Amino acid sequence: MDELALIEKIRARLTNGDERVRVGIGDDAAVLAPLRGGAVLSVDVSVDAVHFDRRWLSMEAIGRRAFVSAMSDLAAMGATPVTALLSYIIPPGLGEESVLALVGGAKSAADALGATIAGGNLSSGSELSITTTVVGEANEPTLRRAGARVGDGVFVTGTLGAAGLGLRLLAAGRADEEAARSFVLRWCELRARFDVVDRIRAIASACVDVSDGLVQDLVHICDESGTAASIELARLPTEPGHFALAASIGEDGAELALTGGEDHELLFTAPADAEVSGWATRIGEVIAGRGVTVRDEDGSERALSRTGHRHFAR
Amino acid sequence: MDELALIEKIRARLTNGDERVRVGIGDDAAVLAPLRGGAVLSVDVSVDAVHFDRRWLSMEAIGRRAFVSAMSDLAAMGATPVTALLSYIIPPGLGEESVLALVGGAKSAADALGATIAGGNLSSGSELSITTTVVGEANEPTLRRAGARVGDGVFVTGTLGAAGLGLRLLAAGRADEEAARSFVLRWCELRARFDVVDRIRAIASACVDVSDGLVQDLVHICDESGTAASIELARLPTEPGHFALAASIGEDGAELALTGGEDHELLFTAPADAEVSGWATRIGEVIAGRGVTVRDEDGSERALSRTGHRHFAR
């Protein structure tokens, strides 16, 4: 592969007139116009056979998914997407067309989010990985993990466990079934919840995106806030058919909702009486202490076999 | 390895009072204070057995080297280092102490450059890699690859080929010899030339850092500027003993100076009569046309077997 020729092809596909990017691809570094609110920065990696499986996703879908997964961290901070840098490690045998498809997936995801791609890096290596650095502009107030107060409610957008179930349906060879379709898409075509960020910023005391799994990410809020939290299993929002479909492959639907990971919904704390109908669900409360407690329908504490998602391969 | 416990240890080592970083490690993303000049961003990766060899460098040195290599791109843009994000892919068997040593190396490099580390990411994978996103503040004028004018001189800081020769001495098992020492250190302990950036900004029409190799990086300037360049072999600055030491391991000292790579000196164009004595060397001139010509001492054009460095393993 001719690295320099490939970089020129990537540059031709990504160049655009974003006035927030003063210098883009083709120099030693990208230069952004000053961001009044300050820059919000995060880095995320997708590694072959750890975060995705090439049998299940096209290269374009892998590129898109890696990009959105990284951008989701900006949603969790209440930031506005601006631009990104892409760094690929490319193994022998992965051709130029595959790399361009990865870039194309990232570009389509960037377009959908009103963001651009300002630069990146290519390297050879033995294992395909996609490291995405995302840049947003901070909005006041910035959402943080710290800030939850005892007495606040715990809320989550959308539904939980669908991406985790979709992944397991893929692994079980059940992806082609009609009932599996929407779950598999939740894993394959994850979305970042920028659509509800303004509503959350108006009421939230703390926020995180659900990437590790509901319980683990709620632990993050609690640890940073110096609080504990209690959630009620019966309140967890799931997709229609979630429990039956999970049971059909020997999985516990409740466990998937609690720890499945990669939902990329937003989990936040806010006054317990906050009005969220139609876009979020109150699932528990912030209490004094440490850690997260899950209560079954009869009020008893549920023992968790694990708190979070560790990706599928390791 | 307990990823969350390791992140807490990393956080404890990296937390500091940098007022330019409003939110650092421990949230979904880092938040920077607004940078008046705008942010300058670059990403660079160091992959095991591609960019380094664990037999030759301690983990701390690997971490330090990866960090400085990334920061060198900010020097090439004339920017001031601010902060960085570290993303590690960690293979099975690489323990917590090794990861903390990588972080320690990055931290010591950041301290030396007046920069901090604002965040990062850990992932498992089969191959160790270190992806560093660096953030600087732009200074006016920003140095660019584009801007060289016909009639300008071509200048370079420091000496060329020493890092490439050091790497080949390591590979040849000659690193322990007294004569080899300074060359090996040039590769192992590369430095970024922020010390001369202000001087270059005062006179330069274009600039790049010499990472791919002198000829390849001069091609970058020429391509972006719409010019050609001619350099004179006899003018290339090299370390004392460079040619004899290269010959002793069967290498062509001139070829190493032209294409050895990883010098991380700054290559720039400026008025041909610019005063650079003591800190840079004029090695050629910008001419009309395309590409880079190298002239031997007798004025004949030298044929190059390759234009740039492709790292040592592939």
Side-chain angles (χ1 to χ4, degrees):
Chain A
M1 191 181 302
D2 180 337
E3 181 184 316
L4 293 174
L6 178 54
I7 289 172
E8 277 310 306
K9 287 182 189 174
I10 293 172
R11 181 182 183 178
R13 289 175 196 216
L14 295 181
T15 297
N16 59 41
D18 185 353
E19 62 193 14
R20 298 169 300 184
V21 179
R22 289 180 174 168
V23 177
I25 297 169
D27 230 304
D28 284 48
V31 183
L32 307 190
L35 295 170
R36 204 174 346 180
V40 184
L41 295 163
S42 183
V43 61
D44 191 42
V45 65
S46 290
V47 181
D48 190 13
V50 179
H51 299 92
F52 60 86
D53 187 314
R54 286 197 239 170
R55 290 169 302 176
W56 301 340
L57 291 171
S58 68
M59 280 292 157
E60 186 165 358
I62 291 167
R64 186 187 164 284
R65 202 172 179 282
F67 195 90
V68 177
S69 173
M71 278 286 178
S72 181
D73 282 330
L74 297 187
M77 302 294 286
T80 303
V82 174
T83 194
L85 307 178
L86 306 176
S87 181
Y88 296 125
I89 297 177
I90 301 167
L94 192 80
E96 187 176 288
E97 285 310 311
S98 293
V99 177
L100 290 172
L102 288 171
V103 171
K107 170 80 162 74
S108 69
D111 287 347
L113 292 170
T116 56
I117 296 164
N121 193 69
L122 293 179
S123 172
S124 55
S126 64
E127 176 178 66
L128 173 62
S129 69
I130 302 154
T131 302
T132 309
T133 303
V134 290
V135 183
E137 179 161 11
N139 296 304
E140 282 295 328
T142 292
L143 296 172
R144 307 264 324 249
R145 292 178 176 182
R149 294 164 298 218
V150 173
D152 278 350
V154 176
F155 300 82
V156 70
T157 61
T159 56
L160 294 166
L165 178 51
L167 173 60
R168 284 158 184 82
L169 288 163
L170 273 163
R174 298 271 303 273
D176 291 337
E177 295 177 18
E178 181 61 30
R181 191 171 165 72
S182 68
F183 293 89
V184 170
L185 283 176
R186 275 288 294 272
W187 185 80
C188 292
E189 301 187 1
L190 70 90
R191 61 176 180 164
R193 296 303 310 267
F194 288 99
D195 57 317
V196 290
V197 158
D198 286 347
R199 286 173 158 170
I200 295 173
R201 285 179 47 243
I203 57 174
S205 51
C207 185
V208 71
D209 81 315
V210 183
S211 52
D212 293 343
L214 173 70
V215 173
Q216 183 62 66
D217 287 309
L218 188 51
V219 167
H220 290 321
I221 285 183
C222 289
D223 285 354
E224 297 301 321
S225 301
T227 63
S230 170
I231 56 181
E232 293 173 54
L233 202 54
R235 288 178 176 267
L236 299 190
T238 55
E239 289 292 320
H242 174 87
F243 290 93
L245 197 56
S248 78
I249 54 169
E251 294 279 349
D252 178 342
E255 198 80 8
L256 284 173
L258 290 165
T259 66
E262 299 190 282
D263 292 306
H264 293 284
E265 297 294 341
L266 295 175
L267 173 68
F268 60 98
T269 58
D273 60 356
E275 178 50 66
V276 299
S277 62
W279 64 276
T281 307
R282 185 160 69 85
I283 59 173
E285 59 179 335
V286 179
I287 57 179
R290 291 201 63 175
V292 171
T293 309
V294 180
R295 300 214 171 270
D296 275 325
E297 290 183 45
D298 64 0
S300 64
E301 192 171 325
R302 183 184 176 98
L304 295 170
S305 60
R306 52 178 195 161
T307 60
H309 171 63
R310 292 281 181 214
H311 301 295
F312 61 90
R314 289 161 212 265
Chain B
M1 191 182 303
D2 180 338
E3 184 183 315
L4 295 173
L6 179 54
I7 290 172
E8 277 309 307
K9 287 182 189 175
I10 293 172
R11 181 181 183 178
R13 289 175 196 214
L14 296 181
T15 297
N16 59 41
D18 185 352
E19 62 192 15
R20 299 169 300 185
V21 178
R22 289 180 174 168
V23 178
I25 297 168
D27 231 305
D28 284 46
V31 183
L32 307 190
L35 295 170
R36 202 172 351 181
V40 184
L41 295 163
S42 183
V43 61
D44 191 41
V45 64
S46 291
V47 182
D48 190 12
V50 179
H51 299 92
F52 60 86
D53 187 313
R54 286 197 240 171
R55 291 169 301 178
W56 301 340
L57 292 172
S58 68
M59 281 291 158
E60 186 165 357
I62 290 167
R64 186 188 164 284
R65 203 172 178 282
F67 195 90
V68 177
S69 174
M71 278 287 179
S72 181
D73 282 329
L74 297 188
M77 303 294 286
T80 303
V82 175
T83 193
L85 308 177
L86 307 176
S87 181
Y88 296 125
I89 298 177
I90 302 167
L94 192 79
E96 187 175 287
E97 283 311 311
S98 293
V99 177
L100 290 172
L102 288 170
V103 171
K107 170 82 163 75
S108 70
D111 287 347
L113 292 169
T116 56
I117 296 165
N121 192 69
L122 293 179
S123 172
S124 55
S126 64
E127 176 178 66
L128 173 63
S129 69
I130 302 155
T131 302
T132 309
T133 303
V134 290
V135 183
E137 179 161 11
N139 294 305
E140 281 296 328
T142 291
L143 296 171
R144 306 267 323 249
R145 292 178 177 181
R149 294 164 298 219
V150 173
D152 278 350
V154 176
F155 300 84
V156 70
T157 61
T159 57
L160 293 166
L165 178 51
L167 173 60
R168 285 159 183 80
L169 288 162
L170 272 164
R174 298 270 303 272
D176 292 336
E177 294 177 18
E178 181 62 29
R181 187 169 168 75
S182 68
F183 293 90
V184 170
L185 283 177
R186 274 289 291 272
W187 186 80
C188 293
E189 301 187 1
L190 69 90
R191 62 175 178 163
R193 297 303 309 267
F194 288 98
D195 58 314
V196 290
V197 160
D198 286 346
R199 285 172 157 169
I200 294 173
R201 285 178 48 243
I203 58 174
S205 51
C207 184
V208 71
D209 81 315
V210 183
S211 52
D212 293 342
L214 174 69
V215 173
Q216 182 61 66
D217 287 308
L218 188 51
V219 167
H220 290 321
I221 284 182
C222 289
D223 285 353
E224 298 299 321
S225 301
T227 64
S230 169
I231 55 180
E232 293 173 53
L233 203 53
R235 288 178 176 268
L236 299 191
T238 55
E239 290 293 319
H242 173 88
F243 291 92
L245 197 56
S248 78
I249 54 168
E251 295 279 349
D252 178 341
E255 197 80 10
L256 283 174
L258 289 165
T259 66
E262 300 189 284
D263 291 306
H264 292 284
E265 296 294 342
L266 295 175
L267 174 67
F268 60 98
T269 58
D273 60 356
E275 178 51 66
V276 298
S277 63
W279 63 275
T281 307
R282 184 160 69 86
I283 60 172
E285 60 181 333
V286 179
I287 57 179
R290 291 201 61 175
V292 171
T293 309
V294 180
R295 299 212 171 272
D296 275 326
E297 289 183 47
D298 64 1
S300 64
E301 191 171 326
R302 183 184 175 97
L304 295 169
S305 59
R306 53 178 194 164
T307 59
H309 172 60
R310 293 280 180 214
H311 301 295
F312 61 91
R314 290 161 213 264

